[in-house]
C-alpha cells in the first residue's frame, strides 16, 4: 500500500467516529429519548396540536419559498461572479459570505429596522399594501438572507469548472441558447444546485435568531417551530420541546434523503463511468 | 464548399491575434493552419466557425458573405481540442444532439438510423450506450468527429485534432482521417503546431506567425522552397551558419561556399537540414568535432561543434562509424540562403 500523508486509517476513523457520536449523535439520541418518554398518545397530542401544526406550516412554507427564491437568485449571482469580469467583483464575492459571518440576531434586527413600516424599505412598500415585518413574508426574507451563501457557494465551483467549449460545441451543432441551457448546462449543474438547495433548506428550517426579530411571533400566524420549541423549554416542558423538535428532525431527514436520491440520479452518468 | 477570407483582422483587448489574413480555400480541400502558439491559427479557425467575430475583413462561404452569420446557422462542424463531448450524454446521444435540436425536424427513427451510420463510419460500433468518460482518447476524438458530421456541415473545422493523443494512436487516426476526407470530400480546415502532422495530412499548408501568413502552399512547396527563415526553422530541425553573399555565392568560413542565386549582396544566413550535412574525416569542409551521437530508428544523429563554436546536428546512415570525440569536416550538400536581417 502506498504511503499516506495523514496518519493511519484506524486512528483517524476512530477519532472521527467518536467525534460524530459525541457532537451529533448524542444530542439527537437524547432528543429522541426524551420525546419517547412521553408515550405515543401524549406524543401525538403534542405534535399534532393546532399551534404546533401551524408552526410547521409557517416554517416549511417560508423555507420552501426562501429556498426557491435563492435557487434562482443564488444561481444568477454565482453565474455573474463566474462568467463576468467587472469592477467590484471581488467585493461582491466577499459580500456573499456576509450572512455566514454576521450573527443572525444582528441580521434579524437590521432586517426588522429596514422592513418595519417606518423603515427604509417598509416606507416604500407600505403604500403598495405590502407589509413584510411581522408577517410570513418577513420570515421568508430572513431565511433568504441567511441561506443565500449555500446556493452560491455550491454552484460557483462547478460553474467555474464547466468547460465553455461545451456551450460552443452545442452552438456549432445548431442549438439555441435556451436549449443549451436546459439540455447541456442544467443537467451538469443539477447535482451542485441540489446540494445547495438541501443546505439552504436545512438552514432555513433551523433558523432562529434572524427570524424571531422580524416575525412578530404571533402563535398560529408567524410563530416558527424553533421558537415554539424554545417557548416549551422556557416553560421547563422538556418532553414537549423534544417532541416538537423531533418532528423537525424527521422533516430534515426526509428532505435530505429525497435530495440525496435526486442527486444520485442526476449523477448516474458518472456512476456508470466507473 | 469554398471558403474565402479577405483581409481578416481580429484583436483581443490589446493583443492583435490576426493581422490582415487573406486566404482562399477551394471546395473539398484539406488545409492545415500551422504555427506556434500565439500565431493566430486557432483564432482564424474560430472566426471561420463564427465562435468569434472579425474586427474588419470578410469571410465568404462560396459567394455568400458569412461574416455576420451566427455560429448556429453557419453549418460548420467543429471538433474541439479537448473534444467537448457532453459528459452526461451517451455516445449515441452526443452524436444525435445536433439532429435533435436542429430546426430541420427528423423523426426518432431517422436520427437513430443516421447515428448508426455515423458509428459505422467512425468505427465506434457497439459503443453507442457508453458515456464519454468510458472511452479512450482516440474513441472520444472519433465521437467528436461523428457528432460534428451528424449535422451535414458545409465545412469541417478541427482544432488540434490529435493534440491529446499518444504518438501511435495519432499516426493511425491521421491516416484514417485522410481516408475519411477523401471519402466525404468536405472542405476541411485544421489547426496544428506539429509540422509533421500538417505535412502528412494536408493538401495545403498555411504557415502562420504573429497573426500573419508566412507561406501558403503544398507540402512540397513549403518544405522544398521555404520563403523565409521562419518557415525553414518551423518545418524542422535546421542548422544555421553565418555567411557573406557576393554575386550569388555565399562564402562561409574556411573557404566553404554555397550557391545563393537571387540573394542580395552582404551578410546572409545559410540554413542546412541535418540530412543535408555530411561528415567527413578529411578536408575540405568546416572543421568540427563530435560531442555526442544519438541513435534513431533508421539513422544516427551527430551533434558536433565547429571550430568557430557553433553546435550543429548532422543525420548520417545508421552504419556510419562516427564516435564521440572524433574530429572531422562538415560538407554542405544542400542549403537555403536568406539575406540577414538588416
Amino acid at each position: 500500500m502506498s504511503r499516506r500523508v495523514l496518519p493511519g486509517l484506524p486512528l483517524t476513523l476512530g477519532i472521527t467516529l467518536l467525534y460524530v457520536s459525541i457532537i451529533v449523535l448524542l444530542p439527537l439520541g437524547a432528543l429522541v429519548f426524551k420525546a419517547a418518554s412521553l408515550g405515543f398518545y401524549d406524543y401525538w397530542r403534542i405534535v399534532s396540536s393546532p399551534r404546533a401544526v401551524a408552526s410547521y406550516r409557517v416554517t416549511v412554507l417560508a423555507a420552501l419559498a426562501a429556498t426557491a427564491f435563492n435557487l434562482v437568485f443564488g444561481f444568477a449571482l454565482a453565474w455573474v461572479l463566474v462568467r463576468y469580469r467587472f469592477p467590484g467583483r471581488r467585493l461582491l464575492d466577499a459580500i456573499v459570505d456576509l450572512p455566514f459571518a454576521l450573527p443572525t440576531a444582528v441580521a434579524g434586527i437590521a432586517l426588522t429596522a429596514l422592513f418595519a413600516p417606518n423603515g427604509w424599505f417598509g416606507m416604500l412598500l407600505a403604500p403598495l399594501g405590502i407589509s413584510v415585518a411581522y408577517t410570513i413574508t418577513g420570515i421568508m426574507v430572513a431565511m433568504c438572507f441567511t441561506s443565500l451563501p449555500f446556493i452560491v457557494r455550491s454552484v460557483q465551483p462547478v460553474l467555474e469548472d464547466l468547460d465553455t467549449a461545451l456551450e460552443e460545441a452545442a452552438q456549432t451543432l445548431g442549438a439555441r441558447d435556451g436549449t443549451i441551457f436546459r439540455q447541456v448546462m442544467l443537467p451538469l449543474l443539477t447535482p451542485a444546485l441540489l446540494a445547495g438547495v438541501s443546505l439552504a433548506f436545512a438552514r432555513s428550517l433551523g433558523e432562529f435568531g434572524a427570524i424571531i426579530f422580524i416575525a412578530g411571533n404571533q402563535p398560529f400566524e408567524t410563530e416558527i417551530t424553533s421558537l415554539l420549541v424554545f417557548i416549551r423549554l422556557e416553560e421547563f416542558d422538556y418532553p414537549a420541546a423534544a417532541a416538537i423538535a423531533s418532528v423537525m428532525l424527521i422533516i430534515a431527514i426526509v428532505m435530505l434523503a429525497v435530495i440525496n436520491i435526486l442527486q444520485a440520479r442526476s449523477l448516474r452518468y458518472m456512476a456508470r463511468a466507473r | 464548399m469554398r471558403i474565402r477570407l479577405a483581409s481578416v483582422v481580429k484583436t483581443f483587448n490589446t493583443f492583435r491575434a490576426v493581422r490582415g489574413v487573406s486566404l482562399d480555400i477551394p471546395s473539398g480541400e484539406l488545409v492545415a493552419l500551422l504555427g506556434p502558439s500565439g500565431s493566430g491559427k486557432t483564432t482564424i479557425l474560430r472566426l471561420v466557425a463564427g465562435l468569434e467575430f472579425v474586427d474588419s475583413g470578410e469571410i465568404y462561404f462560396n459567394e455568400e458573405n458569412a461574416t455576420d452569420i451566427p455560429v448556429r446557422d453557419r453549418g460548420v462542424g467543429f471538433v474541439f481540442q479537448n473534444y467537448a463531448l457532453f459528459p452526461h450524454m451517451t455516445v449515441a446521444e452526443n452524436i444525435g444532439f445536433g439532429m435533435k435540436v436542429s430546426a430541420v425536424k427528423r423523426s426518432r427513427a431517422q436520427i437513430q438510423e443516421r447515428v448508426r451510420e455515423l458509428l459505422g463510419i467512425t468505427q465506434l460500433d457497439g459503443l453507442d450506450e457508453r458515456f464519454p468518460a468510458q472511452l479512450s482518447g482516440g474513441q472520444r476524438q472519433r465521437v467528436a468527429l461523428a457528432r460534428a458530421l451528424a449535422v451535414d456541415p458545409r465545412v469541417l473545422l478541427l482544432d488540434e485534432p490529435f493534440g491529446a493523443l499518444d504518438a501511435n494512436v495519432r499516426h493511425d487516426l491521421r491516416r484514417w482521417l485522410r481516408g475519411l476526407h477523401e471519402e466525404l470530400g468536405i472542405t476541411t480546415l485544421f489547426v496544428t503546431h506539429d509540422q509533421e502532422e500538417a505535412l502528412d495530412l494536408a493538401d495545403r499548408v498555411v504557415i502562420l506567425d504573429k497573426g500573419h501568413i508566412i507561406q501558403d502552399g503544398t507540402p512540397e512547396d513549403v518544405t522544398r522552397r521555404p520563403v523565409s527563415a521562419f518557415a525553414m526553422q518551423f518545418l524542422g530541425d535546421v542548422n544555421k551558419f553565418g555567411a557573406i553573399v557576393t554575386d550569388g555565392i555565399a562564402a562561409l568560413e574556411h573557404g566553404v561556399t554555397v550557391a545563393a542565386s537571387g540573394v542580395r549582396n552582404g551578410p546572409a544566413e545559410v540554413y542546412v537540414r541535418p540530412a543535408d550535412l555530411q561528415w567527413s574525416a578529411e578536408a575540405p569542409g568546416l572543421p568540427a568535432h563530435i560531442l555526442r551521437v544519438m541513435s534513431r530508428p533508421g539513422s544516427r544523429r551527430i551533434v558536433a561543434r565547429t571550430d568557430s563554436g557553433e553546435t550543429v546536428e548532422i543525420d548520417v546512415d545508421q552504419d556510419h562509424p562516427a564516435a564521440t570525440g572524433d574530429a572531422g569536416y562538415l560538407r554542405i550538400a544542400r542549403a537555403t540562403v536568406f539575406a540577414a536581417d538588416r
Side-chain angles (χ1 to χ4, degrees):
Chain A
M1 203 170 77
S2 65
R3 192 186 154 273
R4 290 177 201 276
V5 175
L6 292 177
L9 179 66
L11 182 65
T12 44
L13 183 70
I15 290 173
T16 44
L17 281 182
L18 184 69
Y19 180 83
V20 167
S21 305
I22 292 176
I23 303 292
V24 181
L25 290 181
L26 199 60
L28 291 183
L31 175 79
V32 173
F33 181 76
K34 207 61 168 168
S37 71
L38 278 171
F40 181 76
Y41 178 76
D42 279 341
Y43 178 83
W44 183 251
R45 187 177 51 76
I46 292 167
V47 301
S48 65
S49 73
R51 188 172 169 186
V53 171
S55 83
Y56 309 145
R57 201 177 56 84
V58 168
T59 310
V60 172
L61 282 182
L64 281 176
T67 306
F69 178 84
N70 272 345
L71 177 62
V72 176
F73 183 67
F75 180 56
L77 192 51
W79 177 265
V80 167
L81 286 173
V82 171
R83 288 295 171 92
Y84 297 97
R85 291 292 171 268
F86 52 91
R89 190 183 71 93
R90 300 273 226 149
L91 185 67
L92 184 63
D93 199 26
I95 286 174
V96 169
D97 285 332
L98 215 54
F100 275 154
L102 203 63
T104 53
V106 175
I109 291 166
L111 288 172
T112 312
L114 284 173
F115 283 104
N118 56 354
W120 290 349
F121 296 164
M123 266 191 305
L124 298 173
L125 292 171
L128 305 170
I130 302 168
S131 52
V132 174
Y134 319 123
T135 65
I136 188 166
T137 319
I139 298 176
M140 210 196 87
V141 168
M143 286 175 170
C144 276
F145 179 84
T146 52
S147 67
L148 174 67
F150 291 102
I151 307 257
V152 179
R153 293 294 181 237
S154 309
V155 175
Q156 209 176 359
V158 181
L159 203 52
E160 256 158 23
D161 286 345
L162 195 67
D163 190 355
T164 48
L166 293 178
E167 290 150 59
E168 290 181 342
Q171 283 183 332
T172 63
L173 293 167
R176 307 272 142 186
D177 292 345
T179 313
I180 296 173
F181 182 72
R182 279 193 312 277
Q183 298 195 18
V184 176
M185 305 186 65
L186 210 50
L188 295 171
L189 293 172
T190 300
L193 284 169
L194 285 173
V197 162
S198 74
L199 289 171
F201 187 67
R203 173 66 193 259
S204 297
L205 281 184
E207 184 52 53
F208 181 71
I211 295 170
I212 53 168
F213 291 99
I214 201 171
N217 307 323
Q218 290 299 313
F220 300 101
E221 298 288 333
T222 55
E223 186 179 57
I224 55 166
T225 310
S226 311
L227 181 65
L228 187 58
V229 172
F230 183 71
I231 291 169
R232 291 286 173 264
L233 285 176
E234 296 266 86
E235 294 164 351
F236 301 106
D237 191 355
Y238 296 136
I244 296 167
S246 72
V247 173
M248 291 308 275
L249 187 63
I250 290 164
I251 294 173
I253 287 171
V254 168
M255 186 268 312
L256 286 174
V258 167
I259 286 180
N260 262 310
I261 291 167
L262 289 176
Q263 218 171 0
R265 280 177 59 97
S266 66
L267 281 170
R268 237 177 352 170
Y269 71 92
M270 288 189 61
R272 277 172 63 179
R274 299 271 148 70
Chain B
M1 192 188 62
R2 180 178 168 206
I3 304 169
R4 196 156 60 81
L5 278 72
S7 316
V8 166
V9 174
K10 177 70 185 178
T11 305
F12 295 107
N13 292 325
T14 56
F15 177 64
R16 295 168 71 196
V18 180
R19 313 179 179 192
V21 163
S22 296
L23 194 60
D24 193 347
I25 299 162
S27 188
E29 210 168 46
L30 178 53
V31 175
L33 297 176
L34 176 65
S37 53
S39 60
K41 55 192 194 302
T42 298
T43 306
I44 293 175
L45 200 72
R46 290 173 62 85
L47 288 168
V48 173
L51 291 168
E52 308 282 354
F53 288 94
V54 299
D55 294 338
S56 69
E58 278 102 44
I59 296 168
Y60 292 91
F61 283 7
N62 285 336
E63 295 314 310
E64 179 190 11
N65 186 337
T67 316
D68 297 320
I69 299 178
V71 49
R72 64 173 70 89
D73 301 321
R74 266 197 210 194
V76 298
F78 201 106
V79 175
F80 288 82
Q81 188 171 4
N82 57 4
Y83 318 131
L85 298 178
F86 306 129
H88 58 297
M89 298 185 197
T90 62
V91 168
E93 285 165 347
N94 263 287
I95 298 174
F97 182 83
M99 292 184 278
K100 204 174 84 185
V101 303
S102 162
V104 185
K105 286 282 161 253
R106 295 174 179 83
S107 69
R108 274 177 76 97
Q110 277 174 309
I111 293 178
Q112 273 175 2
E113 178 54 37
R114 178 81 174 125
V115 167
R116 206 170 14 250
E117 189 190 337
L118 284 160
L119 285 168
I121 292 175
T122 50
Q123 301 169 0
L124 291 165
D125 303 273
L127 299 178
D128 47 339
E129 289 305 312
R130 298 272 189 98
F131 285 93
Q134 296 167 296
L135 302 176
S136 70
Q139 288 168 336
R140 279 180 218 177
Q141 213 262 359
R142 280 177 282 146
V143 174
L145 197 62
R147 185 177 69 175
L149 290 171
V151 290
D152 297 317
R154 300 191 286 175
V155 44
L156 194 57
L157 305 167
L158 311 158
D159 188 6
E160 299 272 4
F162 311 108
L165 300 172
D166 294 346
N168 49 353
V169 178
R170 200 184 294 197
H171 189 84
D172 291 346
L173 262 176
R174 215 187 277 167
R175 199 182 313 162
W176 173 81
L177 186 68
R178 179 71 224 184
L180 188 71
H181 177 259
E182 266 150 36
E183 203 176 305
L184 302 174
I186 302 173
T187 312
T188 305
L189 198 54
F190 77 98
V191 156
T192 181
H193 61 263
D194 179 345
Q195 75 283 358
E196 196 186 304
E197 196 169 287
L199 297 172
D200 272 17
L201 194 53
D203 298 319
R204 213 170 103 201
V205 177
V206 179
I207 301 173
L208 292 152
D209 186 37
K210 301 192 180 84
H212 294 288
I213 293 180
I214 302 295
Q215 190 171 6
D216 173 3
T218 62
E220 196 190 338
D221 287 337
V222 297
T223 47
R224 299 291 169 257
R225 291 174 290 283
V227 296
S228 75
F230 177 84
M232 184 87 196
Q233 283 170 321
F234 197 71
L235 285 173
D237 296 340
V238 71
N239 298 300
K240 188 168 97 173
F241 302 95
I244 303 288
V245 173
T246 321
D247 300 332
I249 304 286
L252 286 76
E253 291 168 326
H254 301 280
V256 176
T257 58
V258 294
S261 57
V263 180
R264 69 174 144 76
N265 287 352
E269 283 165 351
V270 176
Y271 291 88
V272 189
R273 298 272 180 222
D276 296 335
L277 270 181
Q278 289 160 356
W279 181 258
S280 162
E282 287 115 38
L286 291 168
H289 60 276
I290 297 178
L291 297 176
R292 204 162 106 76
V293 183
M294 298 177 282
S295 287
R296 296 274 166 92
S299 63
R300 304 182 85 193
R301 171 161 291 192
I302 298 171
V303 182
R305 177 165 295 156
T306 62
D307 286 5
S308 51
E310 274 172 288
T311 305
V312 294
E313 299 194 340
I314 311 141
D315 281 346
V316 293
D317 194 81
Q318 58 181 330
D319 303 321
H320 196 282
T324 304
D326 283 3
Y329 297 87
L330 296 171
R331 289 182 197 156
I332 297 170
R334 194 184 289 118
T336 310
V337 185
F338 295 107
D341 294 329
R342 267 183 270 217

